[in-house]
Amino acid sequence: MNKADRNRLNRLSELGCVVCRNIGCGESPSEVHHLIGIQFKGLSQRASHQQTIPLCPEHHRGNHGIHHMGRKPWESVYGTQESLLDQVNRELGE
């Protein structure tokens, strides 16, 4: 992992869950979510560290999480990963 990746991941953890902030369910500590979908994968199995958003444990891997619900149903409720990535990048000034 390079310095830019480490910096981004550290800054993401300070933002709190992007979903909680958007729907007003309270800001929770966040985990780093690497965007999923064929468009985000290169030769490796996961997206780059630059294609990440902060999600709380519930919205990441809980009952209301992208890894539990699946990408399409989760995006229909909370918005696309791309739109959330754009929002996070604006908040980070990237």
Side-chain angles (χ1 to χ4, degrees):
M1 182 181 321
N2 63 37
K3 185 177 179 178
D5 290 340
R6 277 193 303 277
N7 183 45
R8 179 182 178 83
L9 299 181
N10 288 335
R11 293 174 68 206
L12 281 181
S13 65
E14 296 170 0
L15 283 180
C17 178
V18 66
V19 172
C20 288
R21 289 182 288 133
N22 287 347
I23 64 172
C25 67
E27 191 168 334
S28 301
S30 62
E31 301 175 344
V32 173
H33 168 66
H34 289 81
L35 276 55
I36 55 177
I38 193 72
Q39 68 272 31
F40 301 112
K41 295 180 182 182
L43 297 175
S44 65
Q45 291 294 77
R46 70 173 185 197
S48 78
H49 295 306
Q50 298 302 313
Q51 295 174 314
T52 52
I53 58 174
L55 296 174
C56 67
E58 178 60 26
H59 289 120
H60 190 207
R61 52 189 169 75
N63 288 335
H64 296 103
I66 192 165
H67 293 292
H68 178 79
M69 294 174 67
R71 182 182 56 85
K72 288 183 180 183
W74 188 88
E75 287 182 336
S76 72
V77 175
Y78 302 115
T80 66
Q81 295 174 97
E82 293 93 336
S83 65
L84 295 172
L85 177 63
D86 289 344
Q87 175 187 337
V88 167
N89 286 343
R90 282 191 307 273
E91 291 176 20
L92 293 175
E94 296 180 359

